[in-house]
Amino acid sequence: MSVPLAARALWYVAPGHAEIRAQALPPRAPDQVLVRSRVSALSRGTERLVLEGRVPASQHEAMRAPLMEGAFPFPVKYGYCALGDVEDGPGALRGRRVFVLHPHQDRFLAPAAMCIPVPDALPDHRAVMAANMETALNILWDARPLPGERCLVVGAGLVGLLTASLLARMPGIRPVLVDVDPGRAALAAAVGAGFALPADAPGDQDLIIHASASAAGLALALDRAGFEARIVEASWHGDRAVPLPLGEAFHSRRLSLLSSQVGAVAPAMRGRRTHAERLALALDLLADPRLDALAAPVARFEDLPQALPALLAGGAAAPPCPVVTYI
């Protein structure tokens, strides 16, 4: 009789509190792999809302991560940025480094179909941003940018920075990142974008991506939009009501406000790319070494419960992608 494998996972248990819980893994099913974690990443915006218990009841089902356990608001095992080595499973994956949409856990079982092999040349700290790059990719599929458009990205968090990095690769586009923190200027430059404080953000923009998760940021996006511009709302505001200035020139400028959410493949590519293919492409897009500036180790897994509130709160010195290490 086989001995159950032991694992430890991070659980959100009450507003502002998390803990590491031990659990026994069941026997591996034929379609599963056993993964030992190397790193995981904190998705600061979403996981801060989870930690604070601010996931609206109406969104509990929509907000479920693929392999989470528990239920909102608490207790819940939540997360979707894990990278590790396959210890056991189908021959094609055994011994491979894989990215999985799994919560923070030192060892876990996952469906083989959800394990995306990581290119050998891609370092852990960049590969673990795959879920965020997938979000940025989906935003661009929703936004449908055109060469030469004037583009603004409001909010220089990880998703905003990755979105700007993709826009900067397009012919004739020099995106400008807008953020209240002047310290983000260096990160904007690292991904090939310009930078402006809100008061200095350029106007008459053709395409604006809003990723600041603030009402002020969305109002700024509407204010800086040009005639028939597209504003893509990429933030998630949780349970907060967001006032919108839809008077003034909103109608005379014929503005379009579009939501973007990664749970569904954007209409432009739906039916053409699966979720797995989109995630694999996101890993390929992380081959750009300039993105090293966005991620940094911040805590060991064992120390995560105590460090979590400060890490999710962010701050001027915090990296856009906080990386948790396991080895």
Side-chain angles (χ1 to χ4, degrees):
M1 185 175 180
S2 61
V3 177
L5 293 172
R8 295 174 302 153
L10 181 81
W11 284 77
Y12 295 94
V13 295
H17 296 280
E19 65 185 28
I20 291 177
R21 294 181 174 181
Q23 65 183 82
L25 299 180
R28 184 182 66 82
D31 64 344
Q32 289 182 317
V33 297
L34 174 64
V35 179
R36 183 178 292 275
S37 295
R38 300 171 63 91
V39 296
S40 62
L42 294 166
S43 183
R44 182 172 284 131
T46 303
E47 292 192 59
R48 181 168 62 243
L49 293 174
V50 174
L51 178 65
E52 294 171 354
R54 291 179 46 217
V55 178
S58 64
Q59 296 301 302
H60 283 185
E61 188 58 35
M63 269 291 295
R64 288 191 65 85
L67 297 173
M68 68 172 260
E69 295 181 27
F72 297 119
F74 304 105
V76 61
K77 183 172 75 174
Y78 193 83
Y80 46 81
C81 304
L83 184 140
D85 299 311
V86 175
E87 293 188 318
D88 190 20
L93 287 175
R94 194 176 297 127
R96 295 291 307 272
R97 244 184 347 147
V98 293
F99 180 87
V100 193
L101 298 170
H102 196 281
H104 309 283
Q105 186 166 322
D106 62 356
R107 209 177 195 190
F108 58 86
L109 293 167
M114 290 185 62
C115 298
I116 308 299
V118 175
D120 292 339
L122 194 61
D124 290 351
H125 65 273
R126 225 186 300 148
V128 80
M129 292 190 283
N132 303 99
M133 179 59 91
E134 184 182 22
T135 299
L137 175 62
N138 211 54
I139 290 168
L140 259 64
W141 285 352
D142 275 321
R144 304 190 189 195
L146 298 172
E149 283 196 305
R150 294 183 291 272
C151 298
L152 209 62
V153 179
V154 180
L158 183 58
V159 169
L161 285 158
L162 290 173
T163 303
S165 79
L166 295 181
L167 286 169
R169 301 184 197 188
M170 296 189 64
I173 292 183
R174 168 70 170 173
V176 176
L177 268 160
V178 180
D179 201 272
V180 296
D181 179 6
R184 296 278 160 159
L187 293 173
V191 301
F195 180 83
L197 294 170
D200 302 321
D204 199 27
Q205 300 294 294
D206 303 305
L207 171 64
I208 303 179
I209 311 296
H210 177 239
S212 81
S214 72
L218 184 52
L220 179 72
L222 290 165
D223 182 70
R224 298 303 197 268
F227 182 70
E228 294 190 339
R230 307 177 316 282
I231 301 105
V232 178
E233 175 54 276
S235 300
W236 189 59
H237 298 270
D239 59 359
R240 288 179 298 175
V242 181
L244 288 179
L246 297 185
E248 301 176 354
F250 179 79
H251 289 285
S252 63
R253 278 186 277 150
R254 297 174 52 85
L255 302 182
S256 297
L257 180 59
L258 172 73
S259 68
S260 181
Q261 205 275 339
V262 73
V265 175
M269 299 298 282
R270 194 174 303 159
R272 303 179 183 185
R273 298 292 184 275
T274 65
H275 285 80
E277 288 171 330
R278 186 181 63 181
L279 185 54
L281 175 56
L283 280 165
D284 288 341
L285 292 170
L286 288 166
D288 187 347
R290 295 179 301 175
L291 301 179
D292 286 341
L294 308 186
V298 293
R300 288 191 54 78
F301 174 65
E302 291 82 0
D303 303 324
L304 195 51
Q306 293 72 35
L308 198 58
L311 292 175
L312 294 180
C321 180
V323 176
V324 180
T325 60
Y326 295 75
I327 58 174

